């Protein structure tokens, strides 16, 4: 049988590979390690002694740790940096010394200054804080052992999921606790705003990268060389967040490839034999930033990170945040991932120190790997009963929205449904942490009481508000990866005009394509996903599939209904048709995350097109909307001649157009309505407002100016 | 700017902007720093987007700077001024703007030419005399969609229809155009070439790669029997150095770069390739590879086959390249040798990795006078034997020597000419050298100063054993300086009924002296331009006055260059068909004799595999 404890570090990934072609392994057979609560020992022994204890981690091939100053000079003296400095100096005409200085300033701003004393300080304070905030911090210790082994063999990259600011402190804290080499962590520059904390983080191993540095070659060079130097020499595990930023929705974000590209480079260029990548799944029972995120998604600006704000957040300390589960996944060998996928010979043809844009096959390889790694994170995310409850509550809430209906759900009903969903999700391979020894009603009750900020038991009924809805949605989102493929299939069956397998597949593939910015769906894996979804639904008796048809069974309707309802808010978000937002059913539609993904999907599908940074639309109905938009614009910018450039739809294929027709038009309307400012007053959606003012308006003005200068005679 | 007008407090605006930037970032996907590169894919493949084509010599429209019916830059030419003195115009060369007093006499006495008998070239290119282009519409349509520039302008096409053989230039001067390419395309990178070749295969169009157009083997001539549309693929805009690797001392360069640009750009980084064929101002890296070119300083740097580390060539079967850039490998016959010398019959060389060297610290010219040519050759043989040849060593026979003297510019300093006079006196009188027999070797030493001086001494010592007498740096330097202007001289000759051509061969040391053919019309000079362990490269220059002959080119061809007798003579004497000019169409009838029938079969089978439909249909070599 499949054995995840095998000493082969690649087993985990090997499964991925075979799954691509063979029948998917039954997710119910997934074996996962057991957890230990590491806080328990903290509660029983001295934090001070713990913080001051002897710390002697094993390192990669016994390298001696490298002082950060030595590291810096290695970076600055590298061939790569020399090359880029010369190049920049040639291009800009600046003296090389000047550029060199800039490089060293960049490095200074970026580099970590890991100090054991700071780590000890954090070890002490975090122990105190964690003990008050959390009931337990559970870690799979077998994963820790695997990691320890991996660190000795190859340079290691740690890829934790990112849901909270806590994540990287927690990671370092754990590695310190288990006497593992402390990682250096890529952190966003926003932290630097917090003066003292920023420096403290730096001294605990964080290095800071600017959020955007566009075409700044020098910055990119220094940054990538810095990371690669650490990795090549195995000085320390490199840690970063594949998702690029904290997910505000608890849904994994589509991976960002920049850093992954960098860390794969030393392997691809043959500078190291292999690199182990360790996905780490961190699941919070309650997220510290819970309501903060919801507000942010609604367009209330995120407070700037500042130390004082952190202290204001102190009231957080008085609350109960349940437990955290940290699962260190199987180390994945980049070598075995690349086997048969990339031809490393291509790297022989250009000197290693000369930066080169990755070729398409490399780009695809990195992209696929990134998706697989995010999925590996998702698979080992621990789901709490509350996640299931949130899903049920939300669905119930929407069903009850019709006027006159009572709101909320009876407790017994909820419990009964929760048990049903528990069993379903287990069948789909969810990593569910449901205390089997307690009675279901107790489980439900205690979950509800932990989240009493979001739900209230009032005469047995519950209340709502936008913020709360979004927070709940975030919890529901944690379970999405378990259900996404079956849910896409269920919705596809729903949407398809017949039961014909081909039709269902087409519909599935359209939905999957549309949502590929929304969920983690590996690029190019449509067929596998379809097969997996069929397999699961057939297995659980929901579907009957034969070569021609896909039929929902009698007892399958409940599951199908649940699954369809799960996707419903997203579908609405992508096709919402109201110019008047008051008809809105799902609060998610207001979420900037959803809007962003929608726009990205529209761009990807060619429904809209970006020209010089602004958006133009590819649709036959667009002119109508443009007229309408122009009216709105005229109110805003007093310019009677405003014109937005638009394009014919000739390059959308006929079938595509048909499918897009509905969705696109609706989306455009919605975006326009946001853009034009109608809803801004109502819902304060800043995103749309910003989008309009910063993207579209200036361009319109530019266009107008062009026209003015061109046709001077005609303009009034 | 415009954002101010959107209202709202500045703070709010700032937040909004921040957020927007983030959204924009998300929309664009990866946060990597290559966004600029993505935009201009083609021009930034190698991560060197700075490589604007500014500062490059060759524009798309060659006619902007070059002659359409003669050699080189339009602004540089020899002419006889109103005073009847020879003069070299322009500002580009050391000789530019100078009077050359001896030239008139030399032309008159050597060829019986006269300033009174002038036969000027057709002054302007008459487009209507050019055949209208045969276009392959489907090809043109698809090409358009790629955005790669192309033209079917008559001038553009005529420029790519020829090399610099005498008969080619002669026809142009008379305003005669044969079959010319129907179209010219200008790819700007490897990927462009891939697209063009794909389209050519798809639409069955004939492609002829064009580098610098300096071919002297009729390699660029369009086969008159070709009925398909002929597209000249001009590589001149693929002219970037993609990278320089200082560790391995290599540079990766696009194949269309011309020699002078390559050296100048490398020099900026302190390096050189040292590959200096006499045509280096205009000939291209790809052309060198395609013809197996040889540079003046091959003794230090090697010929093109020694310099090439890696080649990328686009063929109808796909791209051929090695998987590594190793110094040597034992993996069957070297595939580079299918590419080198393929003369555009297999595909387009797009990128080449060449060896580079740090620029020499010190250069020194020199010259040695020998009592006669035989002694000179014996000296060169000895130098080769001792393997101490300087960067360049060339031996000119007496005619060449006199010609060199005729090209001496007027000097203002009496003192210099006085010294010259002294030297002449010394050489001819005291040493008893016969001015009509003596010959001169020019030398170029390179390296670090001390070694150069030591080396120089060694060579002069050997020379002394063969009666050679050091004749000063100036004579040597002038010899090399004239390299680039000599090519302009042929156009002057043609203005006065004097036509000339050079050709070269390589021979073993024991076969150095080919029998004189003794054709009275012909004046011939001989020079030894390269030496090897086993032999040397010999150059012949022929020129004659054709006034009064009806079809001079035909006579010339028959008698001198391609006559079976002459070539047979050379081949029978153990000489080669060509040392470096290549075969083209001019010499292909001797190929099987040179490489054997089996050898021809091998080459043919390679051609059949790589290009079964003869897309690269210039019909060279085979
Ligand atoms: C005045 C003068 C001096 C010369 N001196 C020397 C000398 O010292 N040493 C020497 O070796 N030669 C010399 N030559 C000959 C000539 O310069 C060489 O043959 C040179 O290599 C040709 O290069 P090109 O770029 O001009 O090629 P072109 O003349 O444009 O083309 C020559 C042949 O190569 C093919 N070709 C060109 N580029 C490519 C490419 N990228 N891929 C595939 N095929 C291609 C063409 O189709 C053609 O068949 C001289 C010529 C002249 C006129």
């Amino acid at each position: 049988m499949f054995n995840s404890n095998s000493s082969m570090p690649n087993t985990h990934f090997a499964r991925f590979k075979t799954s691509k072609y063979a029948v998917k392994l039954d997710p119910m057979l997934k074996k996962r390690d057991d957890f230990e609560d590491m806080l328990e020992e903290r509660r029983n022994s001295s934090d001070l002694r713990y913080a001051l204890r002897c710390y002697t981690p094993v390192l990669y091939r016994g390298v001696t740790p490298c002082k950060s100053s030595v590291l810096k000079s290695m970076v600055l003296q590298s061939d790569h940096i020399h090359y880029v400095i010369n190049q920049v100096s040639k291009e800009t005409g600046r003296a090389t010394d000047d550029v060199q200085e800039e490089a060293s300033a960049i490095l200074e701003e970026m580099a970590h200054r890991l100090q054991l004393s700071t780590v000890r300080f954090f070890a002490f304070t975090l122990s105190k804080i964690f003990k008050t905030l959390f009931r337990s911090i559970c870690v799979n210790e077998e994963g820790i052992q695997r990691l320890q082994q991996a660190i000795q063999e190859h340079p290691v990259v740690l890829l934790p999921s990112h849901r909270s600011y806590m994540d990287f402190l927690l990671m370092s804290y754990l590695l310190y606790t288990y006497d593992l080499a402390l990682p250096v962590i890529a952190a966003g520059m926003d932290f630097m705003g917090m003066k003292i904390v920023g420096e403290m983080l730096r001294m605990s191993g964080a290095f800071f990268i600017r959020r955007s540095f566009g075409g700044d070659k020098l910055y990119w060079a220094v940054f990538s060389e810095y990371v690669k130097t650490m990795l090549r020499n195995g000085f320390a595990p490199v840690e970063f967040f594949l998702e690029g930023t904290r997910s505000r929705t608890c849904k994994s974000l589509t991976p960002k490839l920049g850093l992954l590209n960098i860390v794969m480079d030393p392997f691809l260029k043959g500078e190291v034999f292999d690199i182990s990548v360790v996905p780490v799944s961190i699941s919070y029972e309650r997220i510290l930033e819970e309501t903060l995120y919801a507000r942010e998604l609604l367009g209330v600006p995120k407070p700037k990170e500042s130390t004082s704000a952190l202290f204001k957040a102190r009231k957080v300390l008085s609350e109960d945040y349940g437990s955290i589960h940290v699962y260190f996944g199987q180390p994945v060998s980049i070598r075995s991932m690349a086997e048969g996928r990339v031809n490393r010979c291509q790297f022989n043809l250009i000197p290693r120190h000369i930066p080169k844009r990755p070729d398409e096959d490399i780009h695809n390889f990195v992209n696929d790997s990134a998706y697989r790694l995010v999925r590996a994170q998702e698979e080992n995310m621990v789901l709490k009963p509350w996640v299931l409850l949130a899903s049920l509550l939300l669905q119930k809430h929407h069903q009850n929205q019709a006027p006159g209906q009572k709101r909320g759900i009876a407790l017994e009903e909820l419990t009964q449904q929760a048990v049903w969903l528990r069993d379903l999700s287990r069948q789909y391979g969810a990593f569910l942490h449901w205390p089997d020894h307690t009675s279901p009603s107790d489980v439900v009750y205690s979950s509800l009481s932990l989240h009493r900020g979001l739900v209230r038991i009032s005469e047995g009924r519950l209340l709502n508000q936008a913020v709360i809805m979004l927070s709940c949605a975030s919890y529901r989102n944690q379970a999405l990866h378990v259900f996404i493929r079956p849910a896409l299939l269920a919705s596809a069956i729903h949407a398809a005009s017949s039961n014909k397998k081909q039709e269902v597949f087409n519909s599935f593939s359209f939905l999957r394509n549309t949502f590929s910015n929304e969920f983690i769906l590996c690029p190019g894996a449509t067929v596998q996903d379809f097969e997996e979804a069929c397999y699961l639904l057939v297995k659980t008796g929901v579907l009957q599939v034969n070569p021609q048809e896909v039929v929902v069974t009698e007892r399958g309707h409940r599951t199908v209904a649940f699954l369809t309802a799960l996707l419903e808010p997203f579908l609405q978000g992508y096709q919402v048709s109201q110019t008047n937002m008051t008809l809105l059913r799902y609060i998610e539609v207001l979420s900037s995350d959803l809007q962003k993904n929608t726009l990205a999907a529209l761009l990807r599908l060619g429904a809209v097109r970006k020209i010089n940074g602004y958006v133009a639309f590819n649709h036959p109905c667009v002119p109508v909307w443009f007229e309408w938009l122009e009216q709105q614009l005229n109110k805003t910018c007093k310019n009677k001649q405003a014109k937005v450039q638009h394009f014919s739809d000739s390059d959308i294929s006929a079938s595509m157009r048909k499918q897009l027709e509905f969705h696109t038009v609706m989306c455009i309307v919605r975006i326009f309505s946001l853009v034009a400012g109608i809803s801004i007053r109502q819902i304060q959606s800043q995103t749309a407002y910003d989008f309009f003012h910063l993207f579209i308006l200036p361009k319109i003005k530019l266009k107008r100016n062009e026209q003015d200068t061109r046709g001077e005679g005609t303009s009034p | 700017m415009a954002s101010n007008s959107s209202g709202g407090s500045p703070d709010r605006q700032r937040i909004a902007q921040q957020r927007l930037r983030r959204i924009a970032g998300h929309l664009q996907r990866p946060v990597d720093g290559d966004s600029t590169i993505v935009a201009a894919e083609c021009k930034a493949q190698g991560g060197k987007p700075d490589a604007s084509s500014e500062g490059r010599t060759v524009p798309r429209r060659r006619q902007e700077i070059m002659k359409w019916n003669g050699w080189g830059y339009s602004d540089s030419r020899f002419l006889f001024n109103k005073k009847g003195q020879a003069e070299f115009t322009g500002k580009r060369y050391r000789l530019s703007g100078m009077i050359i007093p001896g030239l008139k006499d030399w032309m008159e006495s050597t060829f019986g030419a006269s300033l009174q008998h002038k036969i000027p070239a057709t002054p302007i290119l008459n487009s209507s005399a050019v055949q209208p282009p045969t276009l392959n519409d489907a090809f043109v349509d698809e090409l358009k969609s790629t955005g790669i520039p192309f033209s079917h302008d008559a001038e553009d096409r005529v420029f790519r229809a020829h090399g610099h053989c005498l008969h080619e230039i002669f026809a142009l001067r008379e305003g005669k155009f044969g079959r010319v390419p129907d179209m010219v395309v200008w790819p700007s990178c490897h990927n462009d070439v891939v697209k063009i070749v794909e389209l050519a295969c798809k639409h069955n169009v004939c492609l002829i790669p064009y580098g610098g157009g300096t071919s002297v083997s009729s390699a660029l001539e369009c086969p008159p029997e070709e009925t398909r549309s002929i597209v000249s693929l001009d590589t001149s805009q693929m002219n970037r150095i993609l990278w320089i690797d200082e560790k391995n001392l290599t540079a990766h360069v696009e194949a269309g770069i011309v020699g002078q640009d390559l050296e100048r750009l490398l020099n900026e980084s302190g390096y050189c390739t040292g590959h200096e064929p006499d045509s280096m101002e205009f000939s291209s890296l790809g052309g060198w590879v395609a013809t197996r070119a040889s540079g003046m300083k091959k003794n230090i740097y090697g010929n093109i086959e020694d310099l090439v580390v890696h080649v990328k060539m686009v063929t109808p079967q796909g791209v051929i390249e090695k998987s590594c850039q190793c110094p040597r490998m034992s993996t069957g016959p070297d595939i580079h040798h299918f590419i080198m010398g393929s003369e555009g019959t297999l595909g387009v060389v797009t990128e080449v990795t060449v060896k580079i060297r740090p620029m020499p610290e010190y250069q020194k010219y020199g010259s040695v006078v020998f009592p006669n040519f035989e002694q000179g050759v014996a000296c060169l043989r000895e130098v080769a034997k001792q393997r101490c040849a300087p960067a360049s060593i060339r031996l000119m026979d007496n005619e060449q020597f006199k010609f060199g003297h005729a090209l001496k510019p007027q000097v203002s300093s009496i003192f210099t000419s006085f010294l010259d006079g002294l030297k002449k006196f010394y050489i001819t009188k005291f040493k008893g050298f016969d001015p009509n027999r003596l010959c001169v070797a020019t030398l170029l030493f390179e390296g670090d100063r001390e070694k150069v001086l030591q080396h120089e001494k060694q060579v002069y010592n050997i020379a002394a054993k063969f009666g050679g007498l050091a004749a000063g740096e100036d004579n040597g330097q002038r010899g090399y300086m004239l390299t680039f202007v000599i090519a302009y001289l042929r156009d002057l000759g043609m203005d006065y009924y004097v036509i000339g051509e050079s050709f070269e061969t390589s021979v073993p040391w024991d076969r150095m002296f080919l029998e004189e053919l003794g054709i009275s019309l012909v004046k011939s000079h001989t020079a030894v331009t390269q030496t090897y362990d086993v032999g040397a490269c010999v150059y012949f220059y022929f020129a004659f006055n054709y006034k009064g002959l009806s079809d001079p080119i035909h006579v010339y061809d028959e008698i001198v260059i391609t006559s079976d007798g002459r070539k047979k003579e050379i081949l029978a004497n153990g000489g080669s068909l060509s040392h470096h000019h290549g075969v083209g169409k001019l010499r292909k009838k001797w190929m099987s004799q040179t490489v054997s029938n089996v050898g021809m079969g091998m080459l043919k089978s390679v051609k059949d595999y790589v290009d079964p439909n003869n897309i690269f249909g210039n019909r060279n070599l085979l």
Side-chain angles (χ1 to χ4, degrees), chain A residues 138-184:
Chain A
C138 300
V139 180
N140 66 326
E141 294 192 346
E142 278 160 80
I144 294 282
Q145 277 158 26
R146 286 192 299 257
L147 176 59
Q148 184 172 33
Q149 188 63 31
I151 286 175
Q152 291 171 61
E153 284 166 1
H154 302 294
V156 164
V157 175
L158 292 168
L159 296 179
S161 57
H162 203 11
R163 302 286 174 269
S164 167
Y165 276 143
M166 289 301 286
D167 292 328
F168 82 74
L169 285 177
L170 179 63
M171 282 292 288
S172 300
Y173 179 77
L174 290 179
L175 295 184
Y176 172 80
T177 308
Y178 288 102
D179 222 14
L180 289 176
L182 287 170
V184 287

Side-chain angles (χ1 to χ4, degrees), chain B residues 68-69 118-124 169 172-175 494-495:
Chain B
W68 68 277
N69 59 357
K118 198 172 175 200
I119 174 161
T122 315
I124 47 168
I169 299 301
L172 289 175
R173 287 172 60 92
E174 299 202 315
M494 280 199 265
D495 285 343

Side-chain angles (χ1 to χ4, degrees), chain B residues 583-620:
Chain B
V583 177
K585 287 177 274 290
L586 197 58
R587 287 175 272 273
K588 73 181 195 178
K589 66 173 149 182
W590 289 284
M591 263 300 273
S592 64
Q593 194 185 334
T594 306
V595 302
S596 83
N597 287 333
V598 178
M600 281 298 272
M602 283 177 163
L603 295 180
K604 279 202 177 102
S605 63
V606 169
K607 168 77 179 174
D608 288 345
Y609 169 72
V610 174
D611 185 17
N613 298 320
N614 198 29
I615 296 301
F616 289 91
N618 60 16
R619 301 188 196 225
N620 292 337

Side-chain angles (χ1 to χ4, degrees), chain B residues 71 164 208-216 219-220 235 255 276-279 282-284 286-288 290-294 343-344 347-349 487 539 580-581 618 620:
Chain B
W71 177 255
H164 283 272
I208 299 186
Y210 180 91
T214 64
S215 161
V216 279
L220 292 168
T235 59
E276 296 183 7
D278 293 356
S279 58
F282 303 108
S283 59
S284 69
W288 302 335
T291 59
R292 293 182 64 92
S294 169
E343 301 192 359
V348 188
V349 174
Y539 239 93
H580 60 266
H581 281 170
N618 60 16
N620 292 337

